[in-house]
Amino acid sequence: MQTKISASVLSADLAHLADQCQLALDAGVDMLHIDVMDGHFVPNLTYGAPVLSCLHRALPDACYDVHLMIDDPDRYALDFAKAGADLITFHLEAPVDPSATIAAIRMAGCRVGISIRPATPVEKVFPYLGEVDMVLVMSVEPGFGGQAFLPETPSRLAAVRRELDRRGLTTDLQVDGGVNDDTAPLCVKAGANVLVVGSALYHAADPAALTNHLHNLTHAVCP
Ligand code: DX5
Ligand code: ZN
């Protein structure tokens, strides 16, 4: 399975958002990961749909991977779809009916992801595996970039990938938080095929070399 890299712009210099996104695209990433936080679901605030809309106008050909860390995805998902999202991921822990939210995001014309926080048992996401395009297993507590990768993550990824395989599903499996050249191989070996990379990319001396290294590394690990 081809491994993809989604650049989390949370760690970028937000005064130059489009340039920083272009930098990631020039480095070879496959998607731009837009972390949306509402100050309720997580103790931090970031950006709303108008920011994505401007970004999409500046860089219309990029693929936008929107990660909603918010209590009310039903209220805002359509705004992000209209703003140019390609893929919208919401959290299983949000107080919604997950199947209805999945259907609403799909109706809005986007691919759908469902995410679980580190403390949520992986089995809780199993009922929705057949309904989504991607499962996102958080490898840090959502809310902030630059945190350390949680060591229990590979076994959680492996449990999801095992269940997907058992059911004959080729659903994308994304990992987000503390992914770098040390932790990425563990994730891919466990079955992740979409890596979110934030601070490791934006703090890299040579982002293109890092991206290339991660792509090559994943190919080597995952024949
Ligand atoms: C955390 C966000 C992540 C994070 C990734 O709540 O969902 O996308 O910004 O950044 P790094 O790679 O720095 O952990
Ligand atoms: Zn994220």
Side-chain angles (χ1 to χ4, degrees), residues 19-222:
D19 291 347
Q20 294 275 286
C21 288
Q22 188 63 59
L23 181 152
L25 295 168
D26 290 345
V29 306
D30 305 278
M31 290 175 268
L32 299 171
H33 183 85
I34 310 296
D35 284 307
V36 179
M37 306 185 189
D38 65 355
H40 293 276
F41 186 79
V42 290
N44 198 4
L45 290 163
T46 55
Y47 12 78
V51 174
L52 177 59
S53 186
C54 292
L55 197 51
H56 185 256
R57 211 170 306 131
L59 300 170
D61 297 330
C63 179
Y64 293 95
D65 161 29
V66 174
H67 179 191
L68 297 180
M69 287 162 277
I70 65 177
D71 268 339
D72 200 350
D74 292 342
R75 177 168 172 192
Y76 295 104
L78 186 58
D79 290 347
F80 283 96
K82 285 184 185 156
D86 294 284
L87 166 66
I88 297 180
T89 299
F90 69 100
H91 269 264
L92 179 64
E93 302 86 1
V96 294
D97 169 0
S99 292
T101 302
I102 291 165
I105 293 172
R106 231 181 255 301
M107 279 288 289
C110 295
R111 291 189 295 129
V112 190
I114 191 164
S115 180
I116 48 172
R117 304 177 85 128
T120 301
V122 288
E123 296 74 23
K124 297 249 180 182
V125 83
F126 288 178
Y128 307 102
L129 294 183
E131 298 176 40
V132 294
D133 301 289
M134 188 178 81
V135 177
L136 165 53
V137 173
M138 290 304 299
S139 40
V140 297
E141 197 53 55
F144 300 91
Q147 301 182 75
F149 182 84
L150 292 169
E152 62 269 32
T153 307
S155 65
R156 290 166 57 75
L157 288 165
V160 177
R161 180 56 77 193
R162 256 195 316 275
E163 182 63 14
L164 288 169
D165 287 349
R166 195 183 68 76
R167 291 164 60 171
L169 297 168
T170 55
T171 310
D172 283 334
L173 181 54
Q174 185 177 60
V175 59
D176 181 11
V179 177
N180 55 36
D181 52 0
D182 288 330
T183 56
L186 307 174
C187 296
V188 174
K189 198 172 174 192
N193 70 310
V194 187
L195 308 174
V196 177
V197 188
S199 47
L201 183 79
Y202 282 101
H203 297 160
D206 185 344
L210 175 69
T211 305
N212 191 34
H213 174 63
L214 291 180
H215 273 136
N216 285 335
L217 179 67
T218 54
H219 292 153
V221 173
C222 193

